[in-house]
Amino acid sequence: MCGMPQQPPVRSTPARASRPDASMSLLTNVMDHSLDDGYAEAAARKQADGTKGLPRTLRARMGLAAGLVLAALVVTVGAAQARTAAPVVAKEREELIDRIDRETEAADDLEDTVDELRADVSARQREALRDSGGGEQAELVGMLAGAVAVHGPGIELVVDDAEEASTGGDGDPRETSGFSDTGRVRDRDMQRVVNGLWASGAEAVSINGQRLTALSAIRAAGDAILVDNKPLVPPYTVLAVGDGRNLSTRFQDSSDGLYLHALQENFGIRTAISVQDDVRVPAAPSVIVRTAQPITEKDAS
C-alpha cells in the first residue's frame, strides 16, 4: 500500500455565491446609475433647442404685452380724436339750434301776419255787409256764416286726453280704426262731437277759439288736430251757442254724445260739460267763397 503513489486530492471549485439583492434588479439599477445623467441630457436638449421650455413662455408673455400695448394705443388714439372732434360737434349743434330758433321765430312772425290779414279781411267783410243795406238779414247771414262774433246762452264742453295715454290697442276698435294711441283724442272724435252739437241745435261752435263755419275742416297731422289748418293742443274747449240746457241734454242723449261717453268709460278720455248763461264765440278768421254765386231773380226765372 505504501508503494502505490498517492494522487493529490482533487479540489472542486466552489460555486460563485449570489448577491443578496439579486431579486431587486430595478432598485439596483437605479442605485447603480445616478439620475444626474438624465438631468444632464435634459439640460443639453434645452440648450440645443431654444424654442422649448422657458423661452416659449417668455414669448407668450411678450405677445400678450404687445397686445395690451396695442389696445391701449387704440383707446388713446380714439379718446384723442373724440376730444378733438367734441368742440366741432358742439359748435355744429349750437349752430343748428340757433338756426331752428331763427326759423321758428320767422314762422311765428308769418303766422302773426296771416292772423292780422285774416282779421282785416273779416273786418272788411263785416263793413261790406253793413254798407250793402241788407239790415237784419245781412246781420243774420253774417252770424250764420261765422263772419261776425256772437254770444248767448250755450254750453262749454271740454275734451282731454287720458291721464296716462298708452300706445297700442291689442286689437281694440280704436286701434283697428287707425288710432296709434287709445288714450288720445283724435280728429274723428272731435268731428263727431261738433256734428253732434250741430244736430242738437247749436247755432255757433268754436274749438279753442277757432270758429267753425260751413267751410271748416277738422283734420289730423300726426298727433295734432288741425282746425282750418291751425294746430290745436289739448284740452279741447268747445263752445256752442244755443238753448243751453236743452242743447246739453239733446247732445248727451244723441249717438255722438253716447260715443263720447264710451270713450270716457273705455279709454279714459276726460270730458266735462256745463251749461253757460253767456258764451262768446269769436268770428272766423276769414270766410272766402270762390265758386258759389247767389241766385238772382233772373237765374230763378
Side-chain angles (χ1 to χ4, degrees):
M1 181 170 172
C2 294
M4 295 182 63
Q6 292 185 345
Q7 297 287 336
V10 179
R11 299 181 61 182
S12 60
T13 303
R16 182 178 296 179
S18 60
R19 292 181 57 172
D21 57 354
S23 61
M24 296 182 289
S25 59
L26 178 60
L27 182 59
T28 302
N29 185 35
V30 171
M31 295 298 295
D32 291 343
H33 299 85
S34 174
L35 294 178
D36 293 339
D37 297 337
Y39 286 122
E41 293 178 2
R45 286 196 303 270
K46 291 181 181 179
Q47 185 175 2
D49 188 3
T51 61
K52 297 181 180 180
L54 182 60
R56 177 182 298 176
T57 305
L58 180 59
R59 189 172 67 251
R61 291 179 179 178
M62 291 179 63
L64 179 60
L68 293 176
V69 171
L70 180 61
L73 180 61
V74 171
V75 173
T76 303
V77 172
Q81 291 179 349
R83 189 179 302 108
T84 303
V88 177
V89 174
K91 183 179 179 180
E92 292 178 352
R93 182 174 180 273
E94 291 178 0
E95 292 177 352
L96 181 60
I97 293 175
D98 293 339
R99 182 179 177 184
I100 292 174
D101 292 339
R102 290 195 303 269
E103 295 297 335
T104 302
E105 185 177 356
D108 293 339
D109 293 339
L110 290 175
E111 186 175 356
D112 293 340
T113 302
V114 170
D115 291 339
E116 292 176 0
L117 292 175
R118 284 178 175 176
D120 183 63
V121 170
S122 298
R124 292 176 183 273
Q125 287 177 341
R126 290 191 294 269
E127 184 178 355
L129 287 174
R130 289 193 300 268
D131 295 342
S132 64
E136 295 181 358
Q137 186 68 23
E139 185 177 356
L140 175 61
V141 171
M143 289 189 296
L144 294 178
V148 296
V150 297
H151 72 98
I155 63 172
E156 179 184 79
L157 174 62
V158 180
V159 183
D160 197 0
D161 295 338
E163 292 185 1
E164 296 181 357
S166 59
T167 303
D170 295 333
D172 56 56
R174 285 173 63 83
E175 177 65 23
T176 56
S177 299
F179 293 91
S180 61
D181 192 332
T182 59
R184 298 213 174 190
V185 179
R186 295 300 183 184
D187 55 332
R188 298 181 183 182
D189 303 334
M190 298 309 300
Q191 289 172 2
R192 294 202 60 166
V193 167
V194 171
N195 290 334
L197 289 173
W198 288 126
S200 299
E203 299 172 358
V205 179
S206 68
I207 303 177
N208 285 14
Q210 293 296 307
R211 177 76 172 271
L212 301 179
T213 68
L215 302 177
S216 296
I218 302 176
R219 298 188 179 93
D223 288 335
I225 295 179
L226 306 181
V227 175
D228 292 336
N229 295 323
K230 186 176 181 63
L232 306 180
V233 295
Y236 306 103
T237 301
V238 182
L239 298 178
V241 176
D243 186 357
R245 192 169 300 278
N246 292 331
L247 177 61
S248 175
T249 301
R250 286 196 295 267
F251 172 74
Q252 293 184 71
D253 292 340
S254 67
S255 59
D256 297 310
L258 295 176
Y259 170 82
L260 186 61
H261 181 71
L263 296 183
Q264 181 179 6
E265 291 293 326
N266 297 327
F267 304 105
I269 299 296
R270 292 171 289 177
T271 64
I273 187 170
S274 60
V275 178
Q276 303 290 327
D277 295 332
D278 187 53
V279 173
R280 296 184 176 272
V281 177
S286 63
V287 181
I288 300 175
V289 179
R290 296 183 175 89
T291 305
Q293 297 291 332
I295 298 178
T296 61
E297 293 181 359
K298 180 180 180 180
D299 295 331
S301 61

